[in-house]
């Protein structure tokens, strides 16, 4: 039996020397060391040996198994190393190749215009104030001299959540909240944010839009201060050649009130289709703060005065970029939005 084991070792080692792939190596492992392999078959005959021979043959059997396993492990490690090297060569990254350009976005034109407006007024010494989009009827209407059943409310018919809670129709409630917080101190703020009204979607209207309002309260605030502020804003937004005019109007929360026009950005005031040959384009509303609004905000109208103004960001953007339909801002058409990437 010892001679058979020695012969088996020689045969196995000879065959293993010529193995050239992992599958062949596994087949030889099964052939010689498997449960039905050649070594197992030989060792099953140990039952017929004497007590003195068994330890000797057992030791030889273990030596044969160890020799075959050692060669198999070496071959297996060599195959794994070769596979790793081949994979590394195949997956090599050429760091000198140009990288793939990642698509980059741009600031939305409405956000861009809103930021520009904010920057202009912050440069004039204004602070930015914000408030809730879901408002009470008191702050949205009553504190702005719009009592219940006032006909002017029809212009701002909105989305009511309850009888006294609604989506704000303008950012004016932020002005009232700020006035109450200031306890009679001077105010100089702008109030940007979204507002909501029951308008049909068309080229110039939307049920949701962005608004920026301004409020200044202090001693000896005059209409001339308001006009000078708006002229400074218009010239920074549309160019130093831009001029404004104020037309009498009506707002419940200001008295006197005015609509503000700017010289047409397309024709420079000479008259064209855009301005309907008038040379002027309406951009915002303004006026001196109504005495009742000052009182409800905690101010004495005999001691202080103020002015307020409000503009739609979409309106300014339409004029600034020569866009003819407000819906372009909301349809997410990349062909439209990509035009503003480098502006």
């Amino acid at each position: 039996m010892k001679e058979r084991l020695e012969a088996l070792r020689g045969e196995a080692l000879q065959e293993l020397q010529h193995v050239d792939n992992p599958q062949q190596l596994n087949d030889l492992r099964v052939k010689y060391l498997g449960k039905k392999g050649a070594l197992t078959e030989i060792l099953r005959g140990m039952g017929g040996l004497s007590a003195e021979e068994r330890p000797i043959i057992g030791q030889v059997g273990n030596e044969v198994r160890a020799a075959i396993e050692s060669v198999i492990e070496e071959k297996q490690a060599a195959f794994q190393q070769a596979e790793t090297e081949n994979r590394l060569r195949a997956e090599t990254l050429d760091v000198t190749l140009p990288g793939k350009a990642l698509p980059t976005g741009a600031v939305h034109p409405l956000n861009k215009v809103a930021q520009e407006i904010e920057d202009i007024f912050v440069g004039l010494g204004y602070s930015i104030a914000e408030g809730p989009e879901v408002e009470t009827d008191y702050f949205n209407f009553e504190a702005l001299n719009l009592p219940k059943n006032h006909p002017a409310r029809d212009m701002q018919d909105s989305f009511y959540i309850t009888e006294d809670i609604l989506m704000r129709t303008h950012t004016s409630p932020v002005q009232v909240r700020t006035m109450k917080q200031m306890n009679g101190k001077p105010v100089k703020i702008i109030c940007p944010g979204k507002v909501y009204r029951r308008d049909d979607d068309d080229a110039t209207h939307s049920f949701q839009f962005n608004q920026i309002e301004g409020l200044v309260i202090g001693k000896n605030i005059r209409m001339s201060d308001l006009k000078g502020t708006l002229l400074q804003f218009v010239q920074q937004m549309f160019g130093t050649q831009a001029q404004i005019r104020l037309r009498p109007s009506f707002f419940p929360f200001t008295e006197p009130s005015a609509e503000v026009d700017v010289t047409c950005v397309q024709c420079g005031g000479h008259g064209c289709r855009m301005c309907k040959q008038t040379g002027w384009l309406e951009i915002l509303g303004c006026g001196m703060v109504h005495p009742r609004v000052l009182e409800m905000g905690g101010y004495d109208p005999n001691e202080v005065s103020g002015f307020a103004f409000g503009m739609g960001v979409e309106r300014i953007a339409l004029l600034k970029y020569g866009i003819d339909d407000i819906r372009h801002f909301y349809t997410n058409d990349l062909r439209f939005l990509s035009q503003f990437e480098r502006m």
Side-chain angles (χ1 to χ4, degrees), residues 113-153:
V113 170
Q115 291 169 6
E116 189 172 349
I117 296 172
E118 291 173 7
D119 288 343
I120 291 172
F121 282 103
V122 169
L124 294 174
Y126 286 69
S127 299
I128 296 176
E130 296 180 332
E133 294 180 17
V134 179
E135 262 298 358
T136 64
D137 185 88
Y138 173 79
F139 282 110
N140 197 80
F141 290 126
E142 293 183 41
L144 293 166
N145 200 30
L146 280 163
K148 294 186 183 298
N149 301 318
H150 193 290
R153 285 196 181 200

Side-chain angles (χ1 to χ4, degrees), residues 45-102:
M46 290 181 63
L49 299 176
S50 63
E52 294 80 10
E53 291 178 316
R54 286 177 187 171
I56 298 173
I57 299 301
Q59 182 179 354
V60 173
N62 289 336
E63 292 174 356
V64 171
R65 180 182 295 277
I68 297 174
E69 286 179 343
S70 176
V71 175
I72 290 175
E73 289 174 359
E74 290 177 4
K75 289 283 186 180
Q76 184 69 38
F79 288 139
Q80 290 177 348
Q81 179 67 25
E83 181 182 358
T84 300
E85 291 176 356
N86 290 335
R87 182 178 297 175
L88 289 174
R89 282 194 296 271
E91 297 177 357
T92 298
L93 175 65
D94 186 352
V95 295
T96 65
L97 291 174
K100 294 181 179 179
L102 296 176

Side-chain angles (χ1 to χ4, degrees), residues 110-292:
L110 290 182
N111 291 335
K112 185 175 180 62
V113 170
Q115 291 169 6
E116 189 172 349
I117 296 172
E118 291 173 7
D119 288 343
I120 291 172
F121 282 103
V122 169
L124 294 174
Y126 286 69
S127 299
I128 296 176
E130 296 180 332
E133 294 180 17
V134 179
E135 262 298 358
T136 64
D137 185 88
Y138 173 79
F139 282 110
N140 197 80
F141 290 126
E142 293 183 41
L144 293 166
N145 200 30
L146 280 163
K148 294 186 183 298
N149 301 318
H150 193 290
R153 285 196 181 200
D154 293 341
M155 296 185 297
Q156 298 188 20
D157 194 13
S158 186
F159 301 99
Y160 281 83
I161 298 172
T162 68
E163 201 169 304
D164 293 312
I165 303 294
L166 71 159
M167 304 300 291
R168 68 182 180 188
T169 61
H170 43 194
T171 59
S172 300
V174 182
Q175 298 182 19
V176 180
R177 290 176 178 273
T178 303
M179 291 164 65
K180 289 182 175 293
Q181 292 170 0
M182 295 300 289
N183 295 318
K185 296 178 183 177
V187 174
K188 194 175 184 181
I189 60 170
I190 56 170
C191 313
K194 295 187 183 70
V195 298
Y196 306 84
R197 297 183 188 178
R198 287 180 57 190
D199 280 331
D200 294 329
D201 280 345
D202 57 31
T204 57
H205 297 85
S206 174
F207 65 90
Q208 173 193 293
F209 58 97
N210 296 272
Q211 193 176 53
I212 294 182
E213 296 190 7
L215 173 69
V216 175
I217 297 177
K219 289 184 177 295
N220 300 318
I221 302 298
R222 298 164 295 188
M223 194 79 174
S224 58
D225 299 318
L226 170 59
K227 183 176 180 180
T229 298
L230 296 179
L231 179 61
Q232 180 74 10
F233 160 69
V234 164
Q235 291 185 342
Q236 289 196 46
M237 176 60 67
F238 298 108
T240 55
Q241 78 287 347
Q243 296 296 319
I244 63 172
R245 71 175 183 182
L246 275 64
R247 292 180 289 106
S249 185
F250 167 76
F251 301 113
F253 27 81
T254 54
E255 181 61 38
S257 304
E259 299 283 358
V260 179
D261 300 333
V262 64
T263 46
C264 179
V265 295
Q266 183 166 306
C267 67
H270 299 293
C272 65
R273 288 183 60 189
M274 185 174 182
C275 62
K276 299 179 181 179
Q277 306 302 325
T278 65
W280 298 95
L281 295 168
E282 180 183 326
I283 58 168
L284 58 89
C286 66
M288 301 300 292
V289 180
H290 197 288
R292 290 195 60 188

Side-chain angles (χ1 to χ4, degrees), residues 277-334:
Q277 306 302 325
T278 65
W280 298 95
L281 295 168
E282 180 183 326
I283 58 168
L284 58 89
C286 66
M288 301 300 292
V289 180
H290 197 288
R292 290 195 60 188
V293 175
L294 288 172
E295 287 179 350
M296 287 184 281
Y299 291 83
D300 184 352
N302 296 314
E303 295 292 331
V304 299
S305 57
F307 65 75
F309 56 86
M311 67 190 80
V313 177
E314 285 82 350
R315 176 67 173 167
I316 302 297
L318 288 173
L319 298 179
K320 184 175 180 66
Y321 297 124
I323 300 168
D324 59 1
D325 195 322
I326 194 176
R327 289 169 292 193
H328 290 317
F329 292 125
Y330 305 113
T331 53
N332 298 323
D333 189 334
L334 293 179

